[in-house]
Amino acid sequence: MARHITEKYIKPGASMEVNISHRSRQEILTTSNLADPHLFGNALNELIHLMKMNLGKDYWPSMFFMKFKEETSMRSNDCNLEQMTGWSYSPRLSAVHGVDDPFHQEHLSKGSSCI
């Protein structure tokens, strides 16, 4: 899993490269222990900080969030969330399933009659 994460998000030029410091990136890329449970700790902290400081203030008032909030409200009124997703639902980004795109909602329609 660490190799997959590194290939997709950490390596320079990766398909979904994240914005982390050079120091954190090198720390991950040069490690000899991919099983270290704290391998992505610094990078994760940087990303959370970036989201809180920069992205959050732009996202909450955006049309993307307003639309998401409205759709979520409509769905929760019509369906049980577990029925809707077919797997354990969590509003956190860790619940992203499939294509790793937080705005991609194809997985919500699988096995659901409430979309």
Side-chain angles (χ1 to χ4, degrees), residues 50-66 103:
L50 179 66
M51 288 188 284
K52 284 180 180 177
M53 300 311 292
N54 296 332
L55 302 177
K57 66 182 177 189
D58 294 332
Y59 177 69
W60 300 125
S62 74
M63 289 306 295
F64 290 111
F65 178 70
M66 298 296 176
F103 299 105

Side-chain angles (χ1 to χ4, degrees), residues 75-103:
R75 281 192 208 114
S76 65
N77 291 336
D78 294 340
C79 295
N80 178 336
L81 289 176
E82 289 178 30
Q83 247 183 339
M84 181 176 73
T85 60
W87 50 288
S88 297
Y89 177 78
S90 171
R92 301 173 310 179
L93 287 180
S94 63
V96 173
H97 185 69
V99 296
D100 296 324
D101 181 350
F103 299 105

Side-chain angles (χ1 to χ4, degrees), residues 2-56:
R3 278 191 192 96
H4 170 75
I5 292 169
T6 301
E7 292 291 324
K8 192 162 190 168
Y9 303 102
I10 307 298
K11 280 191 174 181
S15 62
M16 296 184 78
E17 182 180 355
V18 294
N19 187 12
I20 58 175
S21 69
H22 178 73
R23 181 186 53 80
S24 291
R25 189 176 310 278
Q26 289 306 105
E27 207 173 87
I28 295 167
L29 293 175
T30 59
T31 188
S32 59
N33 182 8
L34 291 176
D36 179 3
H38 306 290
L39 178 62
F40 299 104
N42 289 336
L44 182 59
N45 288 336
E46 286 181 23
L47 290 170
I48 290 171
H49 181 74
L50 179 66
M51 288 188 284
K52 284 180 180 177
M53 300 311 292
N54 296 332
L55 302 177

